[in-house]
Amino acid sequence: MTAQEQLQNWISESDSIVFFGGAGVSTESGIKDFRSVDGLYHEQYDYPPETILSHTFFMKSPEEFYRFYHDKMICPGVQPNAAHLKLAELERAGKLKAVVTQNIDGLHQAAGSRTVYELHGSVHRNYCMKCHQFFDVEFIAASEGVPHCPVCGGTVKPDVVLYEEGLDQETMEASILAINRADMLIVGGTSLVVYPAAGLINYYRGNKLVLINRDETPYDRKADLVIHDSIGKVLGEIRV
């Protein structure tokens, strides 16, 4: 039996699947990841992306932060790929109970997924740090320089988790509960090296842990099935 056939069999017999994904899920939609050879970490800026995307840098140099953010973090026109669409189809079929994602692009929701736990926030949500008025991504994209609230004049901040910031506790707890209850956990497009997100995999208690990633991960030996291939290709071939 091939790995693809094994994956198909497990999905067919499971009815409480959770998908946990990272940047690799969206690279096939044209969004660059941070750690691959051609990812954001290997492009040249005045400061490393890790520095720019930190809470300290945002507070000290919001103009420089937003120059990078407008250029690299907002991706207008991107569309869900085969992986996003298949996960939404599995949810509609009652098999997939939740998507837990490290991505901030909103592509799972664009594909039709409804139960999505965004560990690192979303570019589609932005708020005034002063009066907490919320703004969509179009407001940020249309602004020049640092966006300010038209209501009170406060600085508008993306609802994304920057370096030095903690993850949302409610989102973490909901993700842990979903993974703990799952009869099958599919992990895809993530290097599983970013914590605390990567540690969520340890809450899975079942015997159908599937890792789909182009490269090896630190958890490959713990998985029940490992597929080193394109996640869009692998999930796209699944029959629901």
Side-chain angles (χ1 to χ4, degrees):
M1 182 183 298
T2 67
Q4 184 73 35
E5 290 170 338
Q6 181 68 78
L7 177 64
Q8 178 68 64
N9 287 349
W10 282 356
I11 288 177
S12 297
E13 66 188 36
S14 300
D15 58 12
S16 186
I17 303 169
V18 169
F19 177 82
F20 174 48
V25 180
S26 293
T27 53
E28 292 174 39
S29 290
I31 297 178
K32 286 189 176 183
D33 70 355
F34 274 26
R35 290 175 173 77
S36 66
V37 173
D38 60 347
L40 292 179
Y41 282 10
H42 294 266
E43 297 185 8
Q44 298 300 312
Y45 296 93
D46 292 340
Y47 303 89
E50 300 100 319
T51 299
I52 299 173
L53 296 174
S54 69
H55 178 83
T56 297
F57 193 91
F58 174 82
M59 298 303 291
K60 287 172 61 177
S61 306
E63 297 86 359
E64 189 71 18
F65 171 90
Y66 267 110
R67 269 196 286 273
F68 179 88
Y69 190 84
H70 276 112
D71 189 30
K72 296 299 178 184
M73 306 306 288
I74 298 177
C75 305
V78 294
Q79 297 295 321
N81 59 54
H84 298 108
L85 296 170
K86 185 61 65 174
L87 291 168
E89 186 182 354
L90 286 166
E91 184 184 43
R92 288 193 297 272
K95 288 186 164 293
L96 186 80
K97 301 307 180 187
V99 168
V100 179
T101 181
Q102 295 170 279
N103 297 337
I104 60 174
D105 49 51
L107 288 178
H108 285 294
Q109 291 93 328
S113 290
R114 301 174 73 87
T115 303
V116 182
Y117 300 121
E118 296 171 309
L119 296 173
H120 296 154
S122 172
V123 298
H124 294 274
R125 299 189 301 271
N126 308 273
Y127 64 91
C128 172
M129 298 177 70
K130 194 172 178 181
C131 73
H132 305 293
Q133 178 89 12
F134 266 73
F135 301 93
D136 58 20
V137 68
E138 285 76 22
F139 175 85
I140 301 297
S143 66
E144 294 186 9
V146 180
H148 288 94
C149 175
V151 178
C152 74
T155 299
V156 176
K157 180 182 182 295
D159 187 18
V160 300
V161 179
L162 302 177
Y163 289 100
E164 306 168 344
E165 295 179 344
L167 303 191
D168 179 75
Q169 197 59 36
E170 286 187 15
T171 303
M172 279 289 285
E173 290 174 359
S175 301
I176 289 169
L177 186 61
I179 290 172
N180 185 255
R181 290 177 171 175
D183 60 7
M184 180 178 186
L185 177 61
I186 303 174
V187 181
T190 173
S191 56
L192 291 172
V193 296
V194 178
Y195 286 83
L200 291 176
I201 196 171
N202 295 319
Y203 290 93
Y204 177 61
R205 296 289 177 259
N207 59 1
K208 299 188 188 78
L209 172 58
V210 181
L211 298 188
I212 307 170
N213 200 49
R214 289 186 182 274
D215 304 312
E216 293 183 6
T217 79
Y219 283 84
D220 280 12
R221 292 183 180 180
K222 298 182 179 181
D224 301 297
L225 180 64
V226 177
I227 302 176
H228 290 147
D229 205 343
S230 155
I231 189 163
K233 174 177 174 289
V234 173
L235 291 184
E237 293 178 2
I238 293 297
R239 302 181 308 279
V240 178

